[in-house]
Amino acid sequence: MCGIAGLVSKTNVNQGLYDALTVLQHRGQDAAGIVTCDEGRLYLRKGNGLVRDVFQQWHMQRLTGTMGIGHVRYPTAGSCSSAESQPFYVNSPYGITLAHNGNLTNANELREEIYREDLRHLNTTSDSEVLLNVFAHELQALGKLRPEAKDIFKAVEGVHRRCKGAYAVIAMLTGYGMVAFRDPHGIRPIVVGKRELQDGGDAYMLASESVAIDSLGYELLGDVEPGEAIFISLDGKVERKQTAEKTQKNPCIFEYVYLARPDSMIDGVSVYKARLRMGDHLAEKIKREWKDHHIDVVIPIPDSSRTSALQVAHHLGVKYREGFIKNRYIGRTFIMPGQSQRKKSVRQKLNPIELEFKGKNVLLVDDSIVRGTTCSEIIQMARDAGANKVYFSSAAPAVRHPNVYGIDMPAAQELIAYERTTADVCAEIGADDLIYQDLKDLVTSVREGNPNIKEFECSVFDGHYVTGDVDASYLSRLEIARSDQAKVQDLNGMQGESAPIDLHNGS
């Protein structure tokens, strides 16, 4: 899960990209980067940390230009090193920079192809650099001194033929323009917006979520469709083309459960309304299966479960209360490496309001349960605050399978519901009772916003991988590469790493 943004305008885009990345910060807190293009010259700043920490005033002043792309990251492929942060750059052809959200499932095979057949060198372990070099090779193979939109679309067609998995991409061709494209299944989101400039003409923006489009005052034009490519030239001309032979819209349903902000629209579906409907369905299941439970209060686990919890409380006819106060300066805990660090972060992130728990039967509502570390700590916090009974509910089904498309859920053994029943998970997290959303109700909750979506990417719940190229051996290799142990080793290996630098402008 990462956040990407791109701007083409007639004025400097540095501040706009910075603002867009701060709005998309929830999609990645590990690293951030911005590259701009000014009269054929690139200016880059990237490094580990939050947007506000990576970019200081002197960095922003040096990021000049009317076209640029930005990226916020947490690592699902590659390491946590600042060398792995994006955007990535390759000088040939034309000078291309690229930001990518997703994960290539055939990255290892492509690395071998790139070395032996394309004769290109890779400098990192990131699959995003693999994707960049595939795109660059396909574009270079056309042999055009000055590429046109049709040439760029031809290169994207080559990317679709060679790359498998999930990818939402924004790439910038130095001195020519910007291209965005999405994998043929449309697993990861990307939208496009337009704003009329005061001096005439239009500025265009691309982003992972519509909230970035809205916050910068752009008009949302819609989604980049699965397999589609959009080219925006430096003078603001926009061309679009379907570049994949076969497409099927299979957006990741976990975007609606947890990843996206509630004020975003993804593939025509309001994330906020989808979460309201998740609460409706969850409440109906609770009323069916928990007839004898006496719930005094419904309390959400902030922030992404609030919307669903409101509906649960409404349908159950009980009080809704904010029982936990959140420290906004702690990152998302399920993506932190190491169980001990996650446990510590939960206590730092949330603090209970005792009067909302003392002597009450409490129903806690969370968006999902992944590793179980967070919810078990929260349940204990509720008991310590004096709760009589603590019931736990999840607005999503049990997460039992790894994710291979860009979400940090790679190791099945690290998932608390893996090979466990609901009763087993309930005992493990220490709740008095536990209830999950049914998958069919989750799908219905999201599909109601756009009935044209026939099938969602639901692999973490049902183990079905829509790209059709994921088997047991692949999952085994992925698990080893991205286990908690591997992440901790990687973090230890970063000690003493040198600070990032700005291209052309010094550090």
Side-chain angles (χ1 to χ4, degrees):
M1 181 182 75
C2 297
I4 57 178
L7 280 171
V8 178
S9 184
K10 294 182 178 180
T11 58
N12 280 336
V13 297
N14 51 358
Q15 188 63 52
L17 288 170
Y18 178 94
D19 293 342
L21 293 186
T22 59
V23 173
L24 297 172
Q25 186 75 85
H26 61 286
R27 299 188 68 88
Q29 298 105 41
D30 176 72
I34 291 175
V35 61
T36 58
C37 181
D38 189 8
E39 297 183 351
R41 193 172 177 88
L42 296 176
Y43 298 90
L44 170 69
R45 168 67 182 177
K46 61 180 181 177
N48 283 354
L50 300 175
V51 174
R52 67 177 183 225
D53 300 322
V54 173
F55 303 101
Q56 304 302 318
Q57 183 178 354
W58 58 90
H59 301 130
M60 299 300 295
Q61 290 172 342
R62 295 167 180 170
L63 291 170
T64 58
T66 59
M67 177 172 67
I69 57 178
H71 186 271
V72 288
R73 172 187 190 257
Y74 84 80
T76 54
S79 73
C80 300
S81 165
S82 60
E84 305 273 303
S85 57
Q86 298 182 42
F88 283 122
Y89 167 76
V90 66
N91 72 327
S92 180
Y94 318 119
I96 304 172
T97 48
L98 177 144
H100 161 227
N101 176 31
N103 183 58
L104 300 184
T105 53
N106 65 334
N108 289 338
E109 294 89 335
L110 286 172
R111 285 188 183 94
E112 189 71 13
E113 278 186 23
I114 288 168
Y115 174 71
R116 294 191 177 278
E117 298 177 23
D118 299 352
L119 304 180
R120 288 178 170 269
H121 169 74
L122 297 177
N123 199 49
T124 72
T125 59
S126 172
D127 63 331
S128 301
E129 191 188 15
V130 170
L131 197 154
L132 168 60
N133 276 272
V134 170
F135 176 59
H137 178 79
E138 294 296 323
L139 197 54
Q140 189 165 17
L142 299 176
K144 299 290 288 290
L145 180 62
R146 300 188 62 84
E148 302 176 58
K150 63 180 181 180
D151 304 311
I152 295 165
F153 293 149
K154 188 76 173 177
V156 176
E157 291 174 7
V159 172
H160 291 322
R161 285 194 300 271
R162 296 178 64 181
C163 295
K164 298 179 182 179
Y167 48 93
V169 175
I170 303 174
M172 186 168 65
L173 279 69
T174 305
Y176 293 99
M178 184 175 295
V179 61
F181 55 92
R182 197 175 177 194
D183 72 78
H185 290 273
I187 296 171
R188 292 281 152 247
I190 183 169
V191 295
V192 59
K194 181 179 76 171
R195 185 177 70 182
E196 186 176 339
L197 298 172
Q198 291 182 346
D199 297 335
D202 296 313
Y204 289 90
M205 181 176 182
L206 298 147
S208 291
E209 294 183 30
S210 64
V211 62
I213 304 285
D214 300 336
S215 67
L216 269 70
Y218 284 70
E219 173 194 358
L220 179 65
L221 299 180
D223 301 88
V224 177
E225 294 298 320
E228 184 184 25
I230 297 179
F231 179 70
I232 306 169
S233 65
L234 279 175
D235 59 3
K237 183 180 179 181
V238 179
E239 297 184 56
R240 307 177 73 149
K241 184 182 179 182
Q242 179 53 250
T243 52
E245 292 182 3
K246 295 181 180 180
T247 64
Q248 181 178 342
K249 185 174 284 189
N250 303 130
C252 173
I253 205 163
F254 209 73
E255 291 277 354
Y256 303 93
V257 171
Y258 176 79
L259 301 181
R261 274 183 40 158
D263 44 347
S264 285
M265 294 281 295
I266 297 177
D267 286 308
V269 179
S270 163
V271 176
Y272 174 74
K273 288 186 177 180
R275 290 178 184 170
L276 284 176
R277 292 188 289 266
M278 290 175 205
D280 295 338
H281 287 288
L282 181 59
E284 291 303 315
K285 184 174 181 181
I286 290 171
K287 287 195 290 185
R288 286 196 313 269
E289 299 190 5
W290 284 6
K291 295 179 181 179
D292 298 330
H293 283 216
H294 302 288
I295 298 168
D296 298 314
V297 62
V298 172
I299 294 177
I301 311 301
D303 284 312
S304 46
S305 65
R306 280 196 174 104
T307 310
S308 297
L310 276 167
Q311 291 302 97
V312 171
H314 171 72
H315 287 293
L316 296 183
V318 300
K319 294 178 181 178
Y320 170 91
R321 290 291 185 266
E322 293 285 343
F324 294 101
I325 301 302
K326 184 176 182 180
N327 181 348
R328 306 271 174 198
Y329 303 98
I330 302 294
R332 287 184 153 183
T333 51
F334 98 85
I335 65 175
M336 291 181 176
Q339 289 288 74
S340 60
Q341 186 176 346
R342 292 190 196 100
K343 288 182 179 180
K344 180 181 179 182
S345 295
V346 172
R347 293 280 179 168
Q348 292 175 332
K349 184 170 72 170
L350 297 176
N351 191 51
I353 301 175
E354 186 174 312
L355 63 88
E356 296 296 354
F357 293 92
K358 196 167 185 178
K360 297 177 181 178
N361 295 336
V362 178
L363 173 62
L364 301 179
V365 180
D366 207 350
D367 51 74
S368 58
I369 304 172
V370 181
R371 291 176 172 90
T373 310
T374 299
C375 57
S376 60
E377 287 292 308
I378 289 171
I379 290 167
Q380 187 57 50
M381 290 165 65
R383 295 197 188 282
D384 293 342
N388 180 32
K389 288 191 175 182
V390 182
Y391 306 120
F392 207 90
S393 61
S394 169
V399 176
R400 303 186 190 278
H401 305 276
N403 182 277
V404 302
Y405 300 126
I407 307 177
D408 190 23
M409 302 179 190
Q413 283 78 7
E414 293 174 11
L415 305 174
I416 194 169
Y418 177 69
E419 295 187 343
R420 286 191 176 103
T421 66
T422 300
D424 292 336
V425 176
C426 182
E428 187 74 18
I429 64 176
D432 289 292
D433 214 337
L434 169 66
I435 194 165
Y436 284 105
Q437 182 88 270
D438 290 334
L439 181 56
K440 64 179 179 60
D441 288 336
L442 174 62
V443 170
T444 298
S445 298
V446 184
R447 182 181 285 145
E448 189 173 325
N450 184 358
N452 293 323
I453 302 175
K454 302 304 180 185
E455 181 184 358
F456 289 91
E457 200 293 300
C458 301
S459 58
V460 297
F461 305 122
D462 62 10
H464 172 60
Y465 298 94
V466 295
T467 54
D469 60 332
V470 177
D471 56 19
S473 62
Y474 176 87
L475 294 175
S476 178
R477 293 193 304 271
L478 190 73
E479 183 172 325
I480 294 170
R482 300 194 203 163
S483 66
D484 268 350
Q485 183 180 0
K487 289 178 186 175
V488 172
Q489 289 173 349
D490 181 62
L491 285 171
N492 292 337
M494 288 174 59
Q495 300 302 317
E497 182 181 291
S498 59
I501 63 172
D502 297 295
L503 294 182
H504 305 310
N505 281 298
S507 59

